[in-house]
Amino acid sequence: MAGEYREYNYVAADTIDVSELEPLDPETKQIMKSEFSTGIKLTLFYYVFILSIPILNWYAGEFMFSRMWGGMTYSWFFTSIVAMAMAFVIALIHTTLYEKRLKKNDAEQTSAPADGRRIG
């Protein structure tokens, strides 16, 4: 199926030897490094929160197992509601930072074209 398309040079799926790949250009390398850094920081923040719940259950059991509205304990509230809200906030932060980097990258590319020509 995919081999029938002639609009581009189709490469069959196979094992890729990483040593044969060309090195990344500095711009792409910097973008990937910053994306990885952002992802690691946000992941660690979430893991610290998630792992703090059992610690709080152990050391602050009276508070964590006391009842809120509807009979829900604080432990379940943090585990379910707050954790889900944090996941959405973390996704929002990551997306916002990505879009900010993308706009910065686009502005740099449009302000200084490599061949000296301007479009528009």
Side-chain angles (χ1 to χ4, degrees), residues 8 14 22 36 57 59-60 71 74 76 82 105-106:
Y8 58 91
D14 198 6
E22 295 179 19
F36 183 74
N57 285 342
Y59 289 106
Y74 284 99
W76 272 107
V82 175
N105 187 28
D106 286 345

Side-chain angles (χ1 to χ4, degrees), residues 9-77:
N9 294 332
Y10 174 73
V11 178
D14 198 6
T15 304
I16 297 173
D17 186 7
V18 176
S19 64
E20 295 177 4
L21 295 175
E22 295 179 19
L24 295 174
D25 61 292
E27 181 182 352
T28 304
K29 190 174 185 176
Q30 193 276 330
I31 290 170
M32 290 184 71
K33 186 183 265 189
S34 64
E35 278 294 309
F36 183 74
S37 173
T38 301
I40 288 293
K41 290 173 188 170
L42 292 172
T43 299
L44 287 175
F45 178 72
Y46 190 74
Y47 282 168
V48 165
F49 171 75
I50 291 297
L51 292 175
S52 69
I53 293 173
I55 294 169
L56 286 170
N57 285 342
W58 183 263
Y59 289 106
E62 276 188 41
F63 169 71
M64 292 298 284
F65 296 113
S66 62
R67 303 282 176 184
M68 299 174 58
W69 33 259
M72 179 182 264
T73 64
Y74 284 99
S75 181
W76 272 107
F77 178 73

